[in-house]
Amino acid sequence: PQKAPPFDVDGLLESVAHFVEAAEQESRAKQLEMSAEVPQGSSREEHAEKLRKRWVDDRVRSWGLDLARSHGWMDAYTFSKAIGEMLLEKRKGDLPVAIVRPAGITAALEAPC
């Protein structure tokens, strides 16, 4: 089997930043459209801004989950942990580093002996 190329964590972070910026710009373009959905009132702009932010959050969350799964992780949480570990490994220099993760905690019918 052929070995997979090394994971480019810096390139990934750059693409995340570009995606978030693009989503922000797109949401600003849609803000007028979103404000039409908001009932009339003194807090119309505030409500429209909340809708815009929610739209960006949903968009980025969905993209992040798709990205995580495309790289073999089951969710964005495990993917973000892996990214953090890769960044630490790449940028630690000569500093010795140990990554310690707590054991998973699950429900039990009885306490362990």
Side-chain angles (χ1 to χ4, degrees):
Q2 195 174 28
K3 187 177 178 183
F7 192 83
D8 179 14
V9 69
D10 290 316
L12 173 71
L13 292 178
E14 189 174 312
S15 68
V16 168
H18 286 299
F19 183 84
V20 171
E21 179 59 33
E24 283 285 342
Q25 288 178 3
E26 187 177 349
S27 74
R28 298 236 183 263
K30 291 179 173 271
Q31 194 162 19
L32 183 59
E33 182 182 315
M34 290 179 197
S35 67
E37 300 170 20
V38 178
Q40 293 286 356
S42 59
S43 64
R44 186 177 181 138
E45 290 84 16
E46 189 177 302
H47 192 73
E49 179 63 9
K50 284 180 185 177
L51 286 176
R52 186 194 70 76
K53 285 181 178 181
R54 186 178 312 141
W55 183 89
V56 171
D57 287 348
D58 290 346
R59 184 87 188 237
V60 171
R61 189 176 300 113
S62 176
W63 181 77
L65 182 57
D66 290 346
L67 182 64
R69 288 181 176 160
S70 76
H71 288 289
W73 280 272
M74 66 182 167
D75 57 37
Y77 173 71
T78 55
F79 188 41
S80 66
K81 287 191 327 179
I83 291 169
E85 291 172 8
M86 285 184 263
L87 281 171
L88 186 61
E89 179 63 33
K90 184 173 183 176
R91 297 181 181 171
K92 70 180 177 81
D94 293 333
L95 184 67
V97 173
I99 297 170
V100 181
R101 295 190 202 120
I105 299 171
T106 61
L109 182 60
E110 294 180 31
C113 296

